[in-house]
Amino acid sequence: MHKFLKSFVYAGRGVWESTKERNMRVHLCVAAVVITAGLFLHVSRQDWIVLLFCIVLVIPAEMVNTSVESLANTVRDDLGVTYQRTRDARDVAAGAVLFSAIISAAIGTIVFWPYVFK
């Protein structure tokens, strides 16, 4: 049971570490704006589900991207692997974040449009 509870501490540390990245802070600020707008505009329960799903799509994608970049940097620096060989992994992880952010922005626009332009 102790190891199980300790895993929450490690996960919390991982969440905290991810907030040190600039892009994560940007995503968290955007999420805060979306949540504030949703509260202000009194979005429906179904729209909340969609908005929160989009947030939960982007934030973990950024966390995975951060971990891939960290591992790629370690491989490059400690093992002497060339940048070219780690570039693809970094680019794919960054592309996943970009894709999820673009789709989430489009969904957010679709959700908020009727509330803003009644």
Side-chain angles (χ1 to χ4, degrees):
M1 183 64 157
H2 179 24
K3 286 184 179 182
F4 176 73
L5 295 176
K6 199 77 162 153
S7 68
F8 285 97
V9 173
Y10 299 143
R13 193 175 81 69
V15 171
W16 177 253
E17 285 297 313
S18 72
T19 64
K20 295 178 182 177
E21 293 292 322
R22 181 197 65 213
N23 290 344
M24 177 58 91
R25 291 191 304 270
V26 169
H27 292 306
L28 290 171
C29 286
V30 170
V33 168
V34 167
I35 291 169
T36 302
L39 291 170
F40 180 75
L41 296 170
H42 304 287
V43 299
S44 71
R45 181 175 302 195
Q46 292 82 7
D47 287 340
W48 270 117
I49 292 168
V50 171
L51 293 172
L52 293 175
F53 179 78
C54 288
I55 291 169
V56 171
L57 179 68
V58 174
I59 300 292
E62 183 61 45
M63 293 173 79
V64 170
N65 180 50
T66 298
S67 66
V68 168
E69 287 180 353
S70 178
L71 285 171
N73 290 342
T74 300
V75 167
R76 180 194 65 210
D77 298 342
D78 294 353
L79 300 179
V81 175
T82 62
Y83 175 75
Q84 267 38 25
R85 297 191 58 200
T86 61
R87 180 182 61 198
D88 289 345
R90 295 169 60 107
D91 290 351
V92 169
V97 176
L98 178 64
F99 183 78
S100 65
I102 289 171
I103 295 302
S104 292
I107 291 169
T109 301
I110 293 166
V111 167
F112 282 121
W113 191 272
Y115 293 98
V116 175
F117 300 104
K118 290 182 183 182

